[in-house]
């Protein structure tokens, strides 16, 4: 194989970013096909990125012989079926999270992946591919901070996107499924362990609209993991300063903090507001390189005939945990896994 | 009254610091008496600080007509009785925390204070008198960060003091009573609310010795407060970088962080370890000014015939909450207040 | 001697601060006299601080037998004469900088000090008594950063005080004399060396009014010191973020930065302006503790019959250097000392 | 044109990086040829990056019809001639700095560029393409910090590369030409002005070997620009903490600092050394994205038939200034441009 020929599905904000990345920032890959139901956007993007195939139908895309692998950035409800269909059509599959919209779907996805052991399947937990998270994980794995004591992780969307979040609330699954899944993935990845208990709280502090979906605008949970590590997660939608994803791992010998200041870049401003750093505005800005790195890893796996470290089972497990957190939040009870 | 004449009780590390502060850093006050069972230390200190009365007996101290007010930095088990005795002897009383070693004792202290409405009684929650905490509290009170969403507070002692902590473990009451009381006080002060539920976890990650006292070397709890504010507290004894007391208050309109880097001073070092700030080594260093400010406030209250904002009831309430946290930690159950 | 009885001269902003410090924050000292031409302010302050003597005449103050030492915070033009008169009257003398308004005056002050070897004389280079500067100096002295390569120091007043600075411009002596003297003192103290050459530039970037006094609103100079250390100083009057005094010492083995962010305290704010630290507003806020420490050292020297590390010759030397910088700035020429 | 077909010349560290970038991180470009005298490295790299042409002769490369543009990362002494030859052969040219090893050569390069107005010529001042520098420049251009008062820029190589620097010293041209050229470029770019005077100092603080080349291991200069802006540059080779490139622009309304902490990533470590950030180790790590962005801009210019903002005249001017700084350093005199 000279280059991995990729068909990318979905041209929303992240889909477009993935398409542009594959077109110009991924080695040994070629963006050969695009698929979206929005025909004008499809045509415009295909032209701009010099993509040779355009499809408004997913089935046609996976029937295309010129495509080796698909990247799924479609609506969450389609993921499970598209994963199975693409694998059955002989394609390698990279799918954005979630694996499925419930645990039963995740299990279906597992079966589809198990049925195609020769294909590469990878799930988009992009934070693992962020340079800072990777660097911190290497240190933890090397024992530099000793035994993990407390893992704390925040995911906060900016207040300025609140109208979109309110509109999407009935479909988001709630913050544990929509946002905290990334923190849950990190908690498992950094601690190498699994949760035993969870207590979850939160509420609608600024936007009562989330209550109708049994969600809050800000929520949190405290979990005890099997290796005794304490895990505290916080997810919010009302950050005034920007897109704030930060993680702290306190160990017996040291502590690591990742992005405790979600600085946009290396510029510091000294003005009438004091000495300040401006912040990342959204996930695309913050995880720009991580989105490239994860697809590069997918391509490298295909090339080198190896499997990614992130497995389909990680997707299922994270979903199970997120549903349990959601359940804990809704009932107000302490839940044991 | 020209100056408030103070007798200080107890010459341990903090007691000595209070004595030196009263002798030289408090306006309108005079250190006229010292009391400690260690006679050589008593004599040496009295001489060094030019203090005119020395007592090895607390009873004699409070019988001294030359004393207007006492500052209690004696062992915790003596606090309640000494508070009552000093008030009965007509003295104003400043007592270091705790008010008593159990809630019953706290209630006794309340009665003693209530019996002397003309006397100033103040409890040493020094963090409220730290410049940074005061500055942050002013901002919260002024509504600058909107409604409190998450209150997170850490108290971490340095690993280098661990042998002392292990030796003291059977008498400390555990970390919720020994350390987290300050964070509990701050949570109530910043949120203006009270806890409804608590879930507490932790363990012995580095030092199994704490298990014998049903304690951990690192513990945490998540509480829901009546105003819906989420409160996450963490207390640890194994910080490698120094004495780490930090607090974050996330509100609907802004977030404040106090001492998220427990920097010793304004010096930054660039060397083979990177760019770094050295950290406070202990509570005396970190809260040096706060210890002065709190006693100054005590003296000002006496002078101006007003009462401190921190009341005896705050002491009781904080103890009740800390005991509930301890109970939650020991049972592993979610507890509703 | 029981306590050093101090008379404080001048009740401007800094004078008032010194008076309050001596009254309440200095050990082994007593504020027994105040002197100022503003009678109402004198009376109000004397009453508030319970000071027993008040003088509108400096001569009467130094004639007072009840006074052991004077602290001079009077107008600069009076310093030299007051230093000599007070020493002649048998008082120990602490004087705010400058020693004199020209080098000839400084030499006179030297003679007065030399004529009274039994008296303590100290000049107010308060930065040496700031905890952060002291900490950094200890590290340099201990060889932790190797040989000094570059010493960089900034003194910036806030833009908000510009009207006062403009009004004072004709009398200030210019920024090298008015502000950079502190940086010059630090440069000598940190490097242990003296300047060989100086090139100075600057201008009126925002406020043309300074040109009338042959001054700029922002100026800088580069000096080569005898030990080869490069010294870059910057002095400005238009800082929008606050009072910014920062210093960097780059050595062959490490670099130290002091107050590169002039943060007000340990609070960090996260809001629509990003993540920010609010800044010190003026010298009284920034050097609050340093002003206490320097007078404490003066008192300790009197008590322990020793001499301060800062000598009268430091005052002369700093003035000579500042005048040379001023001359370099006014002529635009490279000057060799 | 479908894609710009690029031949890359020179496979040293930066050359290799450019080759890899063109192969995989640049849109609308294709790496079709490599040229280096080291045949094994040439073959290995060509194979690894799937490059179809390999040349050990520059003349053969530019004779190749399959090449649209060349990227020159060859030894500095070859730049001028290769720029002219490639342009004459009808290629677009991107050249790493310097334009030539003396001003006469730069003028030759100017003529070559002027003779080919239809070709894109671009010089590698990569810092202008760093996200942080671009962000800061946008703010300055938008007037956010008012009028520039002081421009300060540091370029420090890590001490750990000192042996290479010593070996290269006789050929480097000295630090003003080798390192400070980037700071000079930035000073002109940020201030929009040109120097009027320069005073330069420095020395061999740790490594006397540089004296033989009339260079220092650390040097600095202070320049006055025509718009009155003060410009202070520092270049060093002995940074213990890493690769430190930082810039500060103080304006009348605000100050910007770029990379004042040369942090490797967003990880903060809390351990026995304090709270610290690890630093970039070299230019390739620090300017990784800038190297991609600059070549992308070169390709975009070719595609869109426009000229880059960095011109050949910038290259000449920066060289002239650097030579003047070098002259000032060697003579110890103040030089007026």
């Amino acid at each position: 194989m000279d280059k991995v020929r990729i068909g990318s599905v979905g041209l929303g904000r992240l889909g477009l970013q993935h398409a542009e990345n594959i077109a110009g920032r991924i080695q040994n890959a070629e963006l050969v096909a695009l698929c979206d139901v929005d025909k004008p956007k499809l045509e415009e993007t295909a032209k701009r990125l010099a993509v040779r195939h355009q499809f408004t139908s997913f089935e046609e895309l996976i029937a295309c012989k010129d495509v080796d692998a698909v990247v799924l950035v479609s609506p969450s409800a389609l993921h499970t079926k598209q994963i199975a269909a693409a694998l059955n059509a002989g394609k390698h599959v990279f799918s954005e999270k979630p694996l499925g919209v419930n645990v039963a779907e995740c299990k279906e996805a597992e079966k589809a992946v198990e049925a195609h052991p020769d294909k590469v399947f990878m799930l988009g937990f992009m934070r693992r591919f962020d340079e800072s998270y990777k660097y911190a994980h290497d240190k933890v794995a090397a024992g530099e901070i000793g035994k993990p004591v407390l893992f704390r992780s925040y995911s906060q969307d900016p207040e300025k996107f609140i109208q979109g979040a309110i509109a999407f609330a009935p479909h988001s699954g709630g913050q544990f499924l929509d946002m905290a899944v990334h923190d849950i993935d990190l908690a498992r990845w950094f601690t190498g362990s699994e949760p035993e208990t969870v207590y979850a709280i939160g509420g609608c502090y600024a936007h009562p609209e989330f209550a109708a979906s049994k969600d809050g605008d800000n929520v949190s949970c405290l979990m005890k993991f099997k290796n005794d590590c304490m895990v505290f997660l916080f997810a919010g939608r009302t950050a005034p300063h920007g897109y704030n994803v930060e993680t702290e791992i306190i160990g017996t010998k040291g502590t690591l903090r990742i992005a405790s200041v979600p600085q946009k870049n290396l510029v510091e401003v000294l003005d009438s507001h004091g000495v300040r750093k401006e912040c990342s505005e959204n996930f695309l800005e913050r995880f720009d390189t991580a989105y490239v790195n994860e697809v590069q890893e997918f391509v490298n796996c295909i090339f080198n005939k190896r499997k990614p470290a992130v497995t389909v089972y990680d997707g299922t497990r994270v979903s199970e945990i997120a549903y349990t957190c959601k359940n804990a939040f809704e009932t107000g009870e302490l839940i044991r896994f």
Side-chain angles (χ1 to χ4, degrees), chain A:
Chain A
M1 193 183 343
D2 194 35
K3 291 198 168 187
V4 176
R5 296 164 302 171
I6 297 179
S8 195
V9 181
L11 290 173
R13 287 174 75 204
L14 179 54
L16 207 53
Q17 184 68 50
H18 271 307
E20 289 174 3
N21 288 346
I22 299 164
R25 300 167 75 189
I26 305 288
Q27 295 188 28
N28 300 323
E30 201 180 355
L31 182 67
V32 299
L34 287 175
C35 173
D36 197 281
V37 291
D38 179 340
K39 199 152 183 183
K41 183 188 273 185
L42 179 67
E43 285 176 0
E44 183 276 321
T45 311
K47 190 176 167 196
R48 182 163 56 86
L49 301 179
V51 179
R52 55 186 181 253
H53 304 288
Q54 304 173 24
F55 303 101
T56 50
S57 142
F58 177 73
E59 285 67 33
E60 286 177 27
L61 168 74
I62 58 175
C64 177
K65 299 288 184 226
D66 196 27
V67 170
D68 301 316
V70 297
V71 165
L72 300 176
V73 207
S74 48
S76 300
L78 304 178
H79 287 184
T80 311
K81 301 239 169 310
Q82 290 184 340
I83 289 166
L87 287 166
N88 289 338
K91 313 300 184 194
H92 302 284
V93 176
F94 174 95
S95 174
E96 269 305 315
K97 64 102 192 160
L99 196 53
V101 295
N102 52 48
V103 176
E105 278 200 3
C106 293
K107 298 282 187 186
E108 267 181 60
E110 285 184 6
K111 277 180 199 153
V113 172
E114 286 166 355
H116 298 281
D118 58 322
K119 295 295 160 199
V120 171
F121 172 78
M122 186 169 156
L123 201 61
F125 285 132
M126 81 291 186
R127 291 190 196 171
R128 297 195 188 196
F129 295 90
D130 172 66
E131 300 295 343
S132 298
Y133 275 106
K134 277 198 289 184
Y135 192 78
H137 192 268
D138 285 350
K139 280 186 181 287
V140 172
E144 288 186 28
I145 64 162
K147 189 177 171 183
V149 169
L150 173 67
F151 177 94
R152 170 175 69 87
S153 201
Y154 288 9
S155 290
Q156 290 174 275
D157 266 335
E159 171 70 26
K160 70 174 171 185
F161 300 145
I162 195 71
Q163 290 311 324
I166 289 170
F168 185 56
H171 317 291
S172 77
Q175 287 200 72
F176 289 105
L177 281 155
D178 192 33
M179 303 180 68
V181 284
H182 287 292
D183 302 288
I184 293 168
D185 177 56
L186 290 178
R188 294 176 67 247
W189 189 46
F190 272 98
T191 65
S193 186
E194 300 287 339
E196 258 185 14
T197 63
V198 61
Y199 177 57
I201 56 180
C204 293
Y205 300 84
H207 304 287
E209 295 90 335
F210 290 96
S213 309
K214 293 189 186 166
D215 202 5
D217 53 24
N218 286 274
V219 302
S220 73
C221 68
L222 179 61
M223 298 193 270
K224 179 146 191 172
F225 269 44
K226 288 184 177 159
N227 66 348
D228 272 350
C229 186
M230 301 178 262
V231 171
F232 177 66
L233 308 182
F234 170 65
R237 300 197 183 281
T238 59
H241 58 297
Y243 175 71
N244 190 89
V245 167
E246 65 174 293
T247 298
E248 177 181 51
I249 309 116
I250 298 181
T252 48
K253 292 184 182 158
T255 289
L256 300 178
R257 290 177 183 168
I258 302 133
S260 66
V261 173
Q263 60 191 57
K264 203 184 200 42
N265 50 40
L266 298 175
V267 177
E268 208 168 27
V269 182
L270 292 77
D271 64 11
S272 61
H273 303 297
V275 175
R276 61 195 180 83
K277 288 181 179 160
E278 295 179 350
C279 299
S280 287
E281 288 172 57
N282 55 49
F283 62 99
L284 290 179
E285 179 179 357
R286 169 64 184 88
F287 289 109
D288 178 71
T289 308
Y291 284 119
V292 171
N293 291 350
E294 65 172 7
V295 175
Q296 186 65 64
E297 170 65 5
F298 174 61
V299 167
N300 292 350
C301 283
I302 295 171
F303 243 82
N304 302 319
K305 300 190 191 312
R306 58 177 172 79
K307 294 296 174 78
V310 195
T311 70
V312 68
Y313 307 107
D314 288 317
T316 306
R317 195 69 197 101
V318 163
S319 289
E320 284 172 345
I321 295 168
Y323 272 103
T324 308
C325 292
K326 177 185 166 74
N327 189 13
F329 174 71
E330 291 180 2
T331 61
E333 298 297 333
L334 174 66
I335 297 188
R336 298 178 203 278
F337 283 79

